[in-house]
Amino acid sequence: DSPVCSIMLVDEDRRELVISAARCSSPDYLHKMPLKIDDSLIGRVVREGRVIVIRDVLEEKQYRYPELARRTGLASLLSVPLMTREKAIGTINLYTREVRHFTEDEIGFVKVVAGQAAIAIENARLMSEALEMKRTLEARKLMERAKGILQHKHHLTEEEAYLRLRNESRRLRRSMRDLAEAVILADDLERKQSPKE
C-alpha cells in the first residue's frame, strides 16, 4: 500500500543519492533533485548505515521536500540502507499515505529485500567492470597487433606506428580500435591473396 517506493544509489564522485528505480503514484517524485549525502535525512541512512523511520515527514525539519509530500500525500517514511561489505551503496525508501508505526516484522522484511537488492546491484556493477576491462584488454591487443603490422610494413618505430594510427583515427573520425581492426583485416586479406612460395 506504499504510494512511493524507491531505490536511491550513491554517486561517490558527487557525494549524492540519485533515484535509480521507483514505483510511485506521482511523477513529481521521479524528478527530485539528487540528495546530498552529507546534509540530507536519507543521506544519514548512508552515512550511519542504519535504518531511519520518520513517523511524519511533514513534521521532520530535515525532510527536504515537504511540498512534494503534501501534494503526493506522503506521511511516514522507512529508509533502509543497501549494504555491501560494510558499506552503504544506497537506500530503499518506503512512504505511506497515513502516519503509521512500522512493525519490527515490516522493517525486518525491508532489510532482507535491501540485502538482496544490494547483492544484485553490486554483482551487476562488478560484471560491468569486468566486461569493460575485457573490452579494454581486447582493444589493447588489437592496437599492439596493428602497430606491429605497421612497424613491419613501413619500417616504423613503435611510437611512429602509434602516432600514425592516432592521426588517421582523428582524420577519419573513427575510433583507434576500428582503425586497428581495419589494419589487421587488410593485412590478413593481403596475406591470403599473396602467392604461396
Side-chain angles (χ1 to χ4, degrees):
D1 62 344
S2 173
V4 173
C5 177
S6 68
I7 293 179
M8 298 183 85
L9 296 179
V10 172
D11 179 333
E12 291 284 353
D13 297 332
R14 293 189 169 141
R15 298 279 303 146
E16 293 176 339
L17 279 162
V18 180
I19 294 175
S20 177
R23 183 192 67 78
C24 59
S25 55
S26 169
D28 291 346
Y29 182 85
L30 294 173
H31 302 297
K32 279 179 25 174
M33 297 298 288
L35 294 173
K36 291 289 184 193
I37 292 172
D38 297 329
D39 61 356
S40 67
L41 185 65
I42 293 176
R44 195 168 90 207
V45 175
V46 171
R47 289 191 314 271
E48 298 174 6
R50 66 179 183 84
V51 174
I52 288 183
V53 177
I54 305 299
R55 197 162 186 285
D56 187 349
V57 293
L58 295 177
E59 292 179 4
E60 176 60 48
K61 290 183 172 107
Q62 280 190 304
Y63 188 72
R64 286 287 167 92
Y65 298 100
E67 285 308 310
L68 177 62
R70 244 181 235 102
R71 277 197 319 270
T72 311
L74 305 179
S76 296
L77 165 65
L78 169 61
S79 186
V80 177
L82 299 170
M83 301 295 291
T84 61
R85 292 177 274 157
E86 307 297 318
K87 180 182 175 189
I89 61 167
T91 63
I92 288 184
N93 310 295
L94 290 160
Y95 290 88
T96 62
R97 289 193 191 286
E98 293 84 30
V99 173
R100 74 180 282 167
H101 171 76
F102 290 97
T103 67
E104 288 301 316
D105 284 346
E106 290 170 325
I107 294 169
F109 174 75
V110 177
K111 281 181 173 179
V112 169
V113 171
Q116 296 296 315
I119 290 168
I121 290 165
E122 185 68 5
N123 285 344
R125 185 188 64 76
L126 291 172
M127 190 176 294
S128 175
E129 284 178 5
L131 286 171
E132 185 57 36
M133 282 192 284
K134 182 181 176 188
R135 279 195 282 278
T136 301
L137 183 60
E138 287 170 356
R140 190 170 290 154
K141 285 179 182 178
L142 289 170
M143 286 294 299
E144 290 302 316
R145 188 166 167 209
K147 282 191 309 187
I149 291 167
L150 291 176
Q151 285 176 262
H152 177 74
K153 278 188 172 179
H154 303 287
H155 309 290
L156 301 171
T157 66
E158 184 178 355
E159 185 178 353
E160 289 169 336
Y162 172 79
L163 290 173
R164 185 173 286 188
L165 280 169
R166 188 193 67 190
N167 293 339
E168 281 300 299
S169 168
R170 289 178 179 170
R171 186 180 71 77
L172 297 171
R173 291 193 172 125
R174 301 293 301 246
S175 73
M176 287 184 67
R177 180 188 177 118
D178 288 349
L179 205 56
E181 286 174 341
V183 167
I184 293 166
L185 180 61
D187 185 61
D188 288 347
L189 289 172
E190 188 178 303
R191 272 199 246 154
K192 285 178 185 171
Q193 290 177 353
S194 65
K196 306 273 186 202
E197 295 182 9

